[in-house]
Amino acid sequence: MRLILIGFGVVGQGFAEILRDKADELAQRYSFKATIVGVATRSRGALYHPAGLKIDTLLKAIAQGHLNHYPNTTGLKRDVDIAAILEQADADAVLECAYSNFDDAQPALEYCRTALRSGKHLVLANKGPIALAYHELQTLAREQGRQLRFEATVMAGTPALQLAREGIAGSHINAARGILNGTTNYILTQMERGMAYEEALAQAQALGYAEADPTADVGGWDAAGKVLILGAALFNQQWKMADLQVEGIEHITRKDIEVAHEKGERWKLLAEATPEGGKVRPVRIPQYDPLATVQGATNAITYTSDLLGHVTLVGPGAGRKETGAALLDDLLAIQRYGE
Ligand code: HSE
């Protein structure tokens, strides 16, 4: 499978490392072989080589700050125009892993359209295009006979979307409720252990959990983006941010956390979606609630459905290899369901 990566930050690099480290295992178990032919970033250069780019060399170059540190080889093209590469390159799938923007999802949304129109499968870790334009992209993918997959956008590599859309496809889901932002859950957990808010946020950033602009995390907007994605993918809705009730954790103090603790409760930033609408807000829940036991950057989601009642999935919701893993799983699904 020939791949183009748009964005080469924490997630793109995590994915590239997995591809490098698991190459033999993936070839043996699934006859899966992937080559990165293009990597395009907004401010750190863009490379294309029809014969494939070397992952170790790519990682070294980006660690030095810019893809221009990738050494010259015959056939290598530098500073390529992203749209032109998407249109012209011989590639099977485009992985959109630039950072999420919920205002207009650009320029990623336009790249997604171009990738699908030029007959490539599209896999996203970037939440913006799915949150804002899922139906349009899905229609385009169907018209082109290509797959649109975005497991990474909700709970990283923990298969929250796959569980709902494939695992329990015969059940009618009435509601999804969970902890869908790793950064805020990490901060709340650390504050419970006595750490100051700012220090906990700095740690979440250092660990690669937070968004490029962490106000999206602490303000509840990242979780809200995931509610938009759940609304579209599970309930066939196309809500806008303005349709949701969104509140973050900025106003939760250590004192609030202590008071809750004395009453046997914990603060959690809960995200909820039903066919009628969605919301994100901090809620005090009893410590015996399964969601109260979810600690650190771990996420959880409970689906309520007609046949199964409550089904809860708990697992990583952010992180370098944890999100990179979702991109790999989507590519394996593309291979499994036919290219
Ligand atoms: N910033 C996000 C989080 C990353 O903390 O959950 C995963 O979407």
Side-chain angles (χ1 to χ4, degrees):
M1 207 179 274
R2 296 166 62 81
L3 310 175
I4 296 175
L5 270 64
I6 304 178
F8 203 47
V10 173
V11 174
Q13 291 174 45
F15 167 74
E17 287 163 4
I18 293 171
L19 214 54
R20 176 195 62 193
D21 298 341
K22 280 186 169 271
D24 291 344
E25 182 190 338
L26 293 169
Q28 275 166 23
R29 285 173 69 192
Y30 306 113
S31 302
F32 177 86
K33 246 190 107 184
T35 308
I36 298 176
V37 294
V39 177
T41 73
R42 200 184 296 188
S43 57
R44 292 186 292 168
L47 299 171
Y48 175 70
H49 197 306
L53 297 159
K54 291 202 172 66
I55 293 180
D56 265 332
T57 317
L58 275 175
L59 291 167
K60 258 184 222 146
I62 206 76
Q64 288 175 266
H66 201 287
L67 291 172
N68 274 348
H69 292 287
Y70 194 98
N72 271 332
T73 51
T74 316
L76 180 73
K77 293 200 172 106
R78 293 180 189 280
D79 292 321
V80 290
D81 176 63
I82 300 181
I85 283 294
L86 293 175
E87 277 168 10
Q88 294 156 18
D90 173 15
D92 302 297
V94 172
L95 280 66
E96 168 53 62
C97 12
Y99 60 83
S100 303
N101 142 21
F102 295 114
D103 294 331
D104 59 5
Q106 295 294 12
L109 178 54
E110 203 47 46
Y111 295 148
C112 290
R113 291 177 178 134
T114 306
L116 288 170
R117 279 195 201 115
S118 29
K120 285 144 185 117
H121 298 293
L122 178 63
V123 175
L124 295 99
N126 182 343
K127 292 156 268 197
I130 297 295
L132 271 56
Y134 165 78
H135 295 285
E136 179 203 327
L137 293 175
Q138 188 59 68
T139 303
L140 200 50
R142 275 203 198 103
E143 284 169 3
Q144 296 289 334
R146 301 287 93 181
Q147 292 190 45
L148 170 69
R149 303 196 75 98
F150 46 96
E151 190 60 64
T153 61
V154 182
M155 287 178 71
T158 307
L161 296 170
Q162 199 254 359
L163 170 63
R165 304 204 308 164
E166 297 173 41
I168 60 169
S171 295
H172 182 86
I173 297 175
N174 307 307
R177 175 181 189 256
I179 295 169
L180 297 184
N181 181 266
T183 301
T184 45
N185 206 52
Y186 183 86
I187 293 171
L188 291 173
T189 304
Q190 294 297 61
M191 284 172 76
E192 260 177 35
R193 293 174 183 161
M195 192 178 282
Y197 174 93
E198 290 75 17
E199 193 185 347
L201 173 57
Q203 279 190 357
Q205 288 178 289
L207 290 164
Y209 302 146
E211 294 299 296
D213 174 2
T215 52
D217 295 293
V218 297
W221 300 106
D222 175 77
K226 291 160 183 165
V227 168
L228 294 183
I229 293 171
L230 291 171
L234 306 190
F235 303 130
N236 206 27
Q237 302 288 351
Q238 188 74 72
W239 301 320
K240 297 186 173 58
M241 281 292 186
D243 300 326
L244 307 181
Q245 182 194 322
V246 182
E247 201 187 319
I249 63 158
E250 306 101 315
H251 305 301
I252 308 278
T253 62
R254 289 261 307 279
K255 179 82 189 147
D256 294 329
I257 287 173
E258 277 164 28
V259 170
H261 187 71
E262 281 159 18
K263 299 223 149 86
E265 295 177 339
R266 285 207 168 105
W267 282 99
K268 291 291 178 194
L269 186 69
L270 292 191
E272 293 178 61
T274 71
E276 285 72 47
K279 56 187 164 194
V280 175
R281 73 221 191 287
V283 179
R284 257 169 70 166
I285 55 177
Q287 284 177 15
Y288 59 75
D289 184 318
L291 292 181
T293 63
V294 175
Q295 303 277 296
T298 303
N299 281 192
I301 195 161
T302 301
Y303 293 117
T304 307
S305 69
D306 57 351
L307 300 182
L308 294 165
H310 302 307
V311 175
T312 298
L313 179 70
V314 181
R320 188 180 181 95
K321 74 171 185 310
E322 294 85 348
T323 311
L327 298 174
L328 172 63
D329 290 333
D330 277 347
L331 293 178
L332 290 172
I334 287 173
Q335 175 174 273
R336 193 160 60 239
Y337 293 124
E339 291 174 46

PDB file of all heavy atoms in Angstrom, residues 15-42:
ATOM      1  N   PHE A  15       2.773   6.892  13.933  1.00  0.00           N
ATOM      2  CA  PHE A  15       2.355   5.914  12.928  1.00  0.00           C
ATOM      3  C   PHE A  15       3.566   5.395  12.143  1.00  0.00           C
ATOM      4  O   PHE A  15       3.704   4.185  11.911  1.00  0.00           O
ATOM      5  CB  PHE A  15       1.328   6.547  11.976  1.00  0.00           C
ATOM      6  CG  PHE A  15       1.087   5.724  10.747  1.00  0.00           C
ATOM      7  CD1 PHE A  15       0.347   4.552  10.820  1.00  0.00           C
ATOM      8  CD2 PHE A  15       1.623   6.102   9.524  1.00  0.00           C
ATOM      9  CE1 PHE A  15       0.151   3.758   9.693  1.00  0.00           C
ATOM     10  CE2 PHE A  15       1.424   5.331   8.391  1.00  0.00           C
ATOM     11  CZ  PHE A  15       0.686   4.156   8.478  1.00  0.00           C
ATOM     12  N   ALA A  16       4.445   6.308  11.739  1.00  0.00           N
ATOM     13  CA  ALA A  16       5.625   5.904  10.953  1.00  0.00           C
ATOM     14  C   ALA A  16       6.495   4.942  11.767  1.00  0.00           C
ATOM     15  O   ALA A  16       7.009   3.950  11.236  1.00  0.00           O
ATOM     16  CB  ALA A  16       6.424   7.141  10.536  1.00  0.00           C
ATOM     17  N   GLU A  17       6.637   5.221  13.057  1.00  0.00           N
ATOM     18  CA  GLU A  17       7.435   4.329  13.917  1.00  0.00           C
ATOM     19  C   GLU A  17       6.820   2.931  13.983  1.00  0.00           C
ATOM     20  O   GLU A  17       7.524   1.921  13.919  1.00  0.00           O
ATOM     21  CB  GLU A  17       7.541   4.914  15.328  1.00  0.00           C
ATOM     22  CG  GLU A  17       8.470   6.117  15.406  1.00  0.00           C
ATOM     23  CD  GLU A  17       8.260   6.944  16.673  1.00  0.00           C
ATOM     24  OE1 GLU A  17       7.445   6.556  17.541  1.00  0.00           O
ATOM     25  OE2 GLU A  17       8.892   8.001  16.765  1.00  0.00           O
ATOM     26  N   ILE A  18       5.504   2.889  14.102  1.00  0.00           N
ATOM     27  CA  ILE A  18       4.819   1.585  14.165  1.00  0.00           C
ATOM     28  C   ILE A  18       5.046   0.818  12.865  1.00  0.00           C
ATOM     29  O   ILE A  18       5.354  -0.377  12.872  1.00  0.00           O
ATOM     30  CB  ILE A  18       3.304   1.781  14.419  1.00  0.00           C
ATOM     31  CG1 ILE A  18       3.069   2.359  15.817  1.00  0.00           C
ATOM     32  CG2 ILE A  18       2.555   0.455  14.274  1.00  0.00           C
ATOM     33  CD1 ILE A  18       1.621   2.778  16.068  1.00  0.00           C
ATOM     34  N   LEU A  19       4.899   1.526  11.746  1.00  0.00           N
ATOM     35  CA  LEU A  19       5.082   0.895  10.436  1.00  0.00           C
ATOM     36  C   LEU A  19       6.492   0.311  10.310  1.00  0.00           C
ATOM     37  O   LEU A  19       6.684  -0.801   9.801  1.00  0.00           O
ATOM     38  CB  LEU A  19       4.866   1.966   9.360  1.00  0.00           C
ATOM     39  CG  LEU A  19       4.248   1.557   8.049  1.00  0.00           C
ATOM     40  CD1 LEU A  19       2.933   0.835   8.261  1.00  0.00           C
ATOM     41  CD2 LEU A  19       4.021   2.816   7.185  1.00  0.00           C
ATOM     42  N   ARG A  20       7.461   1.071  10.804  1.00  0.00           N
ATOM     43  CA  ARG A  20       8.858   0.601  10.773  1.00  0.00           C
ATOM     44  C   ARG A  20       9.040  -0.621  11.684  1.00  0.00           C
ATOM     45  O   ARG A  20       9.559  -1.644  11.275  1.00  0.00           O
ATOM     46  CB  ARG A  20       9.771   1.746  11.227  1.00  0.00           C
ATOM     47  CG  ARG A  20      11.241   1.369  11.331  1.00  0.00           C
ATOM     48  CD  ARG A  20      12.000   2.406  12.127  1.00  0.00           C
ATOM     49  NE  ARG A  20      11.496   2.495  13.501  1.00  0.00           N
ATOM     50  CZ  ARG A  20      11.801   3.474  14.360  1.00  0.00           C
ATOM     51  NH1 ARG A  20      12.593   4.452  13.977  1.00  0.00           N
ATOM     52  NH2 ARG A  20      11.307   3.474  15.582  1.00  0.00           N
ATOM     53  N   ASP A  21       8.545  -0.496  12.917  1.00  0.00           N
ATOM     54  CA  ASP A  21       8.829  -1.533  13.912  1.00  0.00           C
ATOM     55  C   ASP A  21       8.039  -2.821  13.678  1.00  0.00           C
ATOM     56  O   ASP A  21       8.457  -3.896  14.097  1.00  0.00           O
ATOM     57  CB  ASP A  21       8.537  -1.014  15.328  1.00  0.00           C
ATOM     58  CG  ASP A  21       9.429   0.181  15.665  1.00  0.00           C
ATOM     59  OD1 ASP A  21      10.459   0.351  14.978  1.00  0.00           O
ATOM     60  OD2 ASP A  21       9.081   0.942  16.586  1.00  0.00           O
ATOM     61  N   LYS A  22       6.886  -2.704  13.029  1.00  0.00           N
ATOM     62  CA  LYS A  22       6.035  -3.890  12.853  1.00  0.00           C
ATOM     63  C   LYS A  22       6.051  -4.409  11.419  1.00  0.00           C
ATOM     64  O   LYS A  22       5.211  -5.247  11.057  1.00  0.00           O
ATOM     65  CB  LYS A  22       4.591  -3.545  13.243  1.00  0.00           C
ATOM     66  CG  LYS A  22       4.358  -3.557  14.746  1.00  0.00           C
ATOM     67  CD  LYS A  22       2.880  -3.358  15.038  1.00  0.00           C
ATOM     68  CE  LYS A  22       2.549  -3.628  16.462  1.00  0.00           C
ATOM     69  NZ  LYS A  22       2.207  -5.021  16.726  1.00  0.00           N
ATOM     70  N   ALA A  23       6.966  -3.922  10.616  1.00  0.00           N
ATOM     71  CA  ALA A  23       6.947  -4.288   9.187  1.00  0.00           C
ATOM     72  C   ALA A  23       6.930  -5.807   8.993  1.00  0.00           C
ATOM     73  O   ALA A  23       6.097  -6.338   8.241  1.00  0.00           O
ATOM     74  CB  ALA A  23       8.137  -3.662   8.469  1.00  0.00           C
ATOM     75  N   ASP A  24       7.805  -6.515   9.686  1.00  0.00           N
ATOM     76  CA  ASP A  24       7.894  -7.968   9.485  1.00  0.00           C
ATOM     77  C   ASP A  24       6.631  -8.672   9.969  1.00  0.00           C
ATOM     78  O   ASP A  24       6.077  -9.531   9.294  1.00  0.00           O
ATOM     79  CB  ASP A  24       9.104  -8.548  10.241  1.00  0.00           C
ATOM     80  CG  ASP A  24      10.402  -8.082   9.611  1.00  0.00           C
ATOM     81  OD1 ASP A  24      10.346  -7.590   8.463  1.00  0.00           O
ATOM     82  OD2 ASP A  24      11.452  -8.192  10.270  1.00  0.00           O
ATOM     83  N   GLU A  25       6.178  -8.278  11.165  1.00  0.00           N
ATOM     84  CA  GLU A  25       4.977  -8.904  11.741  1.00  0.00           C
ATOM     85  C   GLU A  25       3.761  -8.685  10.832  1.00  0.00           C
ATOM     86  O   GLU A  25       2.989  -9.615  10.573  1.00  0.00           O
ATOM     87  CB  GLU A  25       4.725  -8.279  13.124  1.00  0.00           C
ATOM     88  CG  GLU A  25       3.544  -8.886  13.843  1.00  0.00           C
ATOM     89  CD  GLU A  25       3.177  -8.089  15.104  1.00  0.00           C
ATOM     90  OE1 GLU A  25       4.035  -7.359  15.640  1.00  0.00           O
ATOM     91  OE2 GLU A  25       2.008  -8.204  15.513  1.00  0.00           O
ATOM     92  N   LEU A  26       3.616  -7.474  10.316  1.00  0.00           N
ATOM     93  CA  LEU A  26       2.457  -7.172   9.465  1.00  0.00           C
ATOM     94  C   LEU A  26       2.527  -7.932   8.146  1.00  0.00           C
ATOM     95  O   LEU A  26       1.505  -8.381   7.624  1.00  0.00           O
ATOM     96  CB  LEU A  26       2.372  -5.660   9.203  1.00  0.00           C
ATOM     97  CG  LEU A  26       2.062  -4.819  10.439  1.00  0.00           C
ATOM     98  CD1 LEU A  26       2.273  -3.337  10.148  1.00  0.00           C
ATOM     99  CD2 LEU A  26       0.629  -5.068  10.907  1.00  0.00           C
ATOM    100  N   ALA A  27       3.736  -8.091   7.638  1.00  0.00           N
ATOM    101  CA  ALA A  27       3.897  -8.842   6.388  1.00  0.00           C
ATOM    102  C   ALA A  27       3.534 -10.315   6.624  1.00  0.00           C
ATOM    103  O   ALA A  27       2.841 -10.928   5.817  1.00  0.00           O
ATOM    104  CB  ALA A  27       5.331  -8.712   5.887  1.00  0.00           C
ATOM    105  N   GLN A  28       3.981 -10.841   7.752  1.00  0.00           N
ATOM    106  CA  GLN A  28       3.721 -12.263   8.030  1.00  0.00           C
ATOM    107  C   GLN A  28       2.253 -12.530   8.340  1.00  0.00           C
ATOM    108  O   GLN A  28       1.655 -13.463   7.837  1.00  0.00           O
ATOM    109  CB  GLN A  28       4.565 -12.717   9.214  1.00  0.00           C
ATOM    110  CG  GLN A  28       5.971 -13.132   8.803  1.00  0.00           C
ATOM    111  CD  GLN A  28       6.883 -13.249  10.015  1.00  0.00           C
ATOM    112  OE1 GLN A  28       6.416 -13.430  11.132  1.00  0.00           O
ATOM    113  NE2 GLN A  28       8.172 -13.134   9.783  1.00  0.00           N
ATOM    114  N   ARG A  29       1.668 -11.688   9.216  1.00  0.00           N
ATOM    115  CA  ARG A  29       0.306 -11.977   9.668  1.00  0.00           C
ATOM    116  C   ARG A  29      -0.744 -11.635   8.628  1.00  0.00           C
ATOM    117  O   ARG A  29      -1.769 -12.289   8.511  1.00  0.00           O
ATOM    118  CB  ARG A  29      -0.008 -11.185  10.948  1.00  0.00           C
ATOM    119  CG  ARG A  29       0.670 -11.767  12.162  1.00  0.00           C
ATOM    120  CD  ARG A  29       0.486 -10.879  13.371  1.00  0.00           C
ATOM    121  NE  ARG A  29      -0.866 -10.838  13.879  1.00  0.00           N
ATOM    122  CZ  ARG A  29      -1.288  -9.947  14.783  1.00  0.00           C
ATOM    123  NH1 ARG A  29      -0.471  -9.029  15.237  1.00  0.00           N
ATOM    124  NH2 ARG A  29      -2.527  -9.969  15.200  1.00  0.00           N
ATOM    125  N   TYR A  30      -0.520 -10.544   7.903  1.00  0.00           N
ATOM    126  CA  TYR A  30      -1.585 -10.057   7.001  1.00  0.00           C
ATOM    127  C   TYR A  30      -1.125  -9.863   5.555  1.00  0.00           C
ATOM    128  O   TYR A  30      -1.877  -9.297   4.761  1.00  0.00           O
ATOM    129  CB  TYR A  30      -2.121  -8.712   7.514  1.00  0.00           C
ATOM    130  CG  TYR A  30      -2.575  -8.759   8.954  1.00  0.00           C
ATOM    131  CD1 TYR A  30      -1.886  -8.054   9.934  1.00  0.00           C
ATOM    132  CD2 TYR A  30      -3.692  -9.500   9.326  1.00  0.00           C
ATOM    133  CE1 TYR A  30      -2.306  -8.082  11.260  1.00  0.00           C
ATOM    134  CE2 TYR A  30      -4.116  -9.533  10.642  1.00  0.00           C
ATOM    135  CZ  TYR A  30      -3.417  -8.833  11.604  1.00  0.00           C
ATOM    136  OH  TYR A  30      -3.825  -8.866  12.908  1.00  0.00           O
ATOM    137  N   SER A  31       0.102 -10.223   5.246  1.00  0.00           N
ATOM    138  CA  SER A  31       0.673  -9.881   3.935  1.00  0.00           C
ATOM    139  C   SER A  31       0.508  -8.393   3.665  1.00  0.00           C
ATOM    140  O   SER A  31       0.236  -7.969   2.534  1.00  0.00           O
ATOM    141  CB  SER A  31       0.004 -10.676   2.809  1.00  0.00           C
ATOM    142  OG  SER A  31       0.138 -12.043   3.043  1.00  0.00           O
ATOM    143  N   PHE A  32       0.643  -7.614   4.722  1.00  0.00           N
ATOM    144  CA  PHE A  32       0.475  -6.161   4.589  1.00  0.00           C
ATOM    145  C   PHE A  32       1.841  -5.511   4.467  1.00  0.00           C
ATOM    146  O   PHE A  32       2.716  -5.715   5.296  1.00  0.00           O
ATOM    147  CB  PHE A  32      -0.252  -5.619   5.829  1.00  0.00           C
ATOM    148  CG  PHE A  32      -0.410  -4.119   5.841  1.00  0.00           C
ATOM    149  CD1 PHE A  32      -1.491  -3.524   5.211  1.00  0.00           C
ATOM    150  CD2 PHE A  32       0.524  -3.311   6.485  1.00  0.00           C
ATOM    151  CE1 PHE A  32      -1.643  -2.142   5.227  1.00  0.00           C
ATOM    152  CE2 PHE A  32       0.373  -1.932   6.494  1.00  0.00           C
ATOM    153  CZ  PHE A  32      -0.710  -1.346   5.871  1.00  0.00           C
ATOM    154  N   LYS A  33       1.987  -4.741   3.402  1.00  0.00           N
ATOM    155  CA  LYS A  33       3.244  -4.013   3.199  1.00  0.00           C
ATOM    156  C   LYS A  33       2.898  -2.595   2.816  1.00  0.00           C
ATOM    157  O   LYS A  33       2.087  -2.376   1.919  1.00  0.00           O
ATOM    158  CB  LYS A  33       4.035  -4.665   2.063  1.00  0.00           C
ATOM    159  CG  LYS A  33       5.328  -5.299   2.521  1.00  0.00           C
ATOM    160  CD  LYS A  33       6.179  -5.697   1.352  1.00  0.00           C
ATOM    161  CE  LYS A  33       7.366  -4.741   1.231  1.00  0.00           C
ATOM    162  NZ  LYS A  33       8.194  -5.003   0.070  1.00  0.00           N
ATOM    163  N   ALA A  34       3.474  -1.636   3.519  1.00  0.00           N
ATOM    164  CA  ALA A  34       3.153  -0.241   3.212  1.00  0.00           C
ATOM    165  C   ALA A  34       4.431   0.563   2.993  1.00  0.00           C
ATOM    166  O   ALA A  34       5.444   0.310   3.646  1.00  0.00           O
ATOM    167  CB  ALA A  34       2.341   0.370   4.342  1.00  0.00           C
ATOM    168  N   THR A  35       4.347   1.492   2.078  1.00  0.00           N
ATOM    169  CA  THR A  35       5.470   2.381   1.789  1.00  0.00           C
ATOM    170  C   THR A  35       4.968   3.812   1.863  1.00  0.00           C
ATOM    171  O   THR A  35       3.932   4.139   1.278  1.00  0.00           O
ATOM    172  CB  THR A  35       5.981   2.130   0.337  1.00  0.00           C
ATOM    173  OG1 THR A  35       6.222   0.739   0.197  1.00  0.00           O
ATOM    174  CG2 THR A  35       7.243   2.897   0.055  1.00  0.00           C
ATOM    175  N   ILE A  36       5.697   4.639   2.579  1.00  0.00           N
ATOM    176  CA  ILE A  36       5.340   6.068   2.609  1.00  0.00           C
ATOM    177  C   ILE A  36       6.020   6.726   1.407  1.00  0.00           C
ATOM    178  O   ILE A  36       7.244   6.778   1.326  1.00  0.00           O
ATOM    179  CB  ILE A  36       5.807   6.723   3.929  1.00  0.00           C
ATOM    180  CG1 ILE A  36       5.109   6.061   5.122  1.00  0.00           C
ATOM    181  CG2 ILE A  36       5.542   8.232   3.894  1.00  0.00           C
ATOM    182  CD1 ILE A  36       5.569   6.564   6.489  1.00  0.00           C
ATOM    183  N   VAL A  37       5.204   7.193   0.468  1.00  0.00           N
ATOM    184  CA  VAL A  37       5.793   7.833  -0.720  1.00  0.00           C
ATOM    185  C   VAL A  37       5.808   9.351  -0.595  1.00  0.00           C
ATOM    186  O   VAL A  37       6.585  10.034  -1.263  1.00  0.00           O
ATOM    187  CB  VAL A  37       5.080   7.414  -2.038  1.00  0.00           C
ATOM    188  CG1 VAL A  37       5.299   5.947  -2.333  1.00  0.00           C
ATOM    189  CG2 VAL A  37       3.595   7.747  -2.001  1.00  0.00           C
ATOM    190  N   GLY A  38       4.944   9.893   0.257  1.00  0.00           N
ATOM    191  CA  GLY A  38       4.908  11.345   0.404  1.00  0.00           C
ATOM    192  C   GLY A  38       4.609  11.749   1.836  1.00  0.00           C
ATOM    193  O   GLY A  38       3.858  11.063   2.536  1.00  0.00           O
ATOM    194  N   VAL A  39       5.234  12.847   2.264  1.00  0.00           N
ATOM    195  CA  VAL A  39       4.923  13.444   3.571  1.00  0.00           C
ATOM    196  C   VAL A  39       4.837  14.943   3.345  1.00  0.00           C
ATOM    197  O   VAL A  39       5.767  15.543   2.796  1.00  0.00           O
ATOM    198  CB  VAL A  39       6.019  13.156   4.627  1.00  0.00           C
ATOM    199  CG1 VAL A  39       5.682  13.851   5.938  1.00  0.00           C
ATOM    200  CG2 VAL A  39       6.167  11.669   4.861  1.00  0.00           C
ATOM    201  N   ALA A  40       3.728  15.524   3.748  1.00  0.00           N
ATOM    202  CA  ALA A  40       3.562  16.957   3.521  1.00  0.00           C
ATOM    203  C   ALA A  40       3.179  17.637   4.827  1.00  0.00           C
ATOM    204  O   ALA A  40       2.257  17.192   5.509  1.00  0.00           O
ATOM    205  CB  ALA A  40       2.468  17.174   2.478  1.00  0.00           C
ATOM    206  N   THR A  41       3.889  18.676   5.172  1.00  0.00           N
ATOM    207  CA  THR A  41       3.544  19.450   6.364  1.00  0.00           C
ATOM    208  C   THR A  41       3.314  20.901   5.952  1.00  0.00           C
ATOM    209  O   THR A  41       3.727  21.304   4.869  1.00  0.00           O
ATOM    210  CB  THR A  41       4.668  19.410   7.414  1.00  0.00           C
ATOM    211  OG1 THR A  41       5.752  20.226   6.952  1.00  0.00           O
ATOM    212  CG2 THR A  41       5.165  17.995   7.664  1.00  0.00           C
ATOM    213  N   ARG A  42       2.684  21.635   6.825  1.00  0.00           N
ATOM    214  CA  ARG A  42       2.400  23.018   6.462  1.00  0.00           C
ATOM    215  C   ARG A  42       3.644  23.902   6.585  1.00  0.00           C
ATOM    216  O   ARG A  42       3.892  24.745   5.758  1.00  0.00           O
ATOM    217  CB  ARG A  42       1.287  23.567   7.354  1.00  0.00           C
ATOM    218  CG  ARG A  42       0.613  24.771   6.742  1.00  0.00           C
ATOM    219  CD  ARG A  42      -0.409  25.384   7.639  1.00  0.00           C
ATOM    220  NE  ARG A  42      -1.513  24.486   7.896  1.00  0.00           N
ATOM    221  CZ  ARG A  42      -2.613  24.860   8.543  1.00  0.00           C
ATOM    222  NH1 ARG A  42      -2.744  26.093   8.972  1.00  0.00           N
ATOM    223  NH2 ARG A  42      -3.581  24.002   8.768  1.00  0.00           N
TER     224      ARG A  42
END
